Amino acid sequence: MQFRHTIVLALAAMFMAVSCITVDKSIGQGLIPEDQDIPVFTAELDLPVELKSAQPLQGLSASESAFGAIRTPENGLVQFATVADFRPNFSGWDFGKDAVVKEVYFLANISQIFVPENDQAGIPQIVTLHRTYRNIDSTTVFNNAFTEADYDPEPVNMSETVYFGGDSLKVILKNSFAEEILTATQQERDTLDLFLKRFKGLLIKTSVPEEGIYGGRENIINFGSGTIYISVNFQPTWAEGLVRKDTLFALTYGNQKCLNLSIYESGEMQTKDPGAVMEFEGAAGNKPYISKTALKGVIDEWLKAEGLEDKNLIIAKGSLVFPFEIPENLDMTKYPPTLYPCNREFDTTYNANVFYPALDVNVSGYSVGNMNRSLKEYRMDIPSIIQDFVSKDLSQLDDLTHNLWIMPITSSTDSYYGTVSYNIDLFTYYLGKLNGPAAGRSPKLQIVYSVLEN
């Protein structure tokens, strides 16, 4: 027992000896000359936010097709449709002679659905497929690129197709649709461009909720999973005495890209004065919007009030903060997980001005607008853009780069390199409410900066 007490006392003595060591935190002070010691300051400014439509939004996609319709009391009716070419799975197909179409149908897997209320997930929607009069090309970039004049109003459905939101969609088509395809010439069968030029594509859409009825559903197909199946009975001609046979011929719905279309009633709700609450939408609907002229005015007023208008400022951090309130039912599943400032750029691939996330989204360590339920806010770091607003005259700010839409974005990680890339979520019809400029907790611009001596 004595031995054990000795060990305890020895350990206690060691602990006391160690705990008596002091740390001199002044070591290193004074090594940086005072004229090189740069103070850091902070500022918080009210954001001049509007509510503005994101029309037109690029709708071309190699990943997702969306169709459906939703009506809400806040934003009215939105309709989604998708257009894609269709093509044979192989060239040189030959059905001998006297080919007879037995059945033709469209089949696709539904990858996800979006509903404004959970009880809408299984509602019935009438789905129709329509022949288009034109193909997707370089002139069909945006969500409003097709009009009713660009497709046949008469569906190619055999009969009414009711879809209840399940994991697959099957639409029985008219035999006449397949019979026309079987008239393709040998050259059209062997040359994809000629086949596409003659047969064009198909548009998929649904019925809309009746006036005064709220709800609906957006349905999303993984692009490339849609297939048109044609069951054919024919007489083979490549040998004598062969009996007639049945075969199933497949055409893929979608050649390289599809075009997602959407139409909104909410354009009438755009406003320069959103008040205390901003109702925002996904896809090409209304978004919080910050004009370069208004933001430049707010920043210039702050610089003048602080006597900084002629100073050289370095922006270490510039954050847009958009607060929100938790709904009474605590359901925020319809809110986007991430919001971030986006602007338009001229894209030489599309030969058009299209939306992209602001470049700061790619800088490691910056806040990229993830929803923070604890702080009840979305925070987005864009210091390089704020640096432009501080350092440049209004005439030097670009309409495309410096007008900002706050939009849902998605991220993906490269499985080999581990790099993260960000893209706009072009299709999901998110719905949510953010605090507006008149709210107690209003949108803010928070700046961390230093002043360099001229």
Side-chain angles (χ1 to χ4, degrees), residues 50 109 147 154 187 193 211 235 277 432:
E50 306 174 22
N109 295 325
T147 68
E154 181 69 24
Q187 190 175 19
D193 287 345
E211 192 73 37
Q235 175 64 55
V277 178

Side-chain angles (χ1 to χ4, degrees), residues 23 39 41 63-64 74 132 136 142 154 197 201 207 261 266 301 306 313 321 327 335 337 344 351 407:
V23 177
F41 306 93
S63 60
E64 293 177 315
E74 298 85 4
T132 64
I136 298 172
F142 299 115
E154 181 69 24
K197 182 178 180 180
S207 56
L261 309 173
S266 59
E301 287 180 10
E306 297 295 323
L313 269 62
V321 182
Y335 283 59
R344 295 187 194 271
N351 196 35
M407 305 178 75

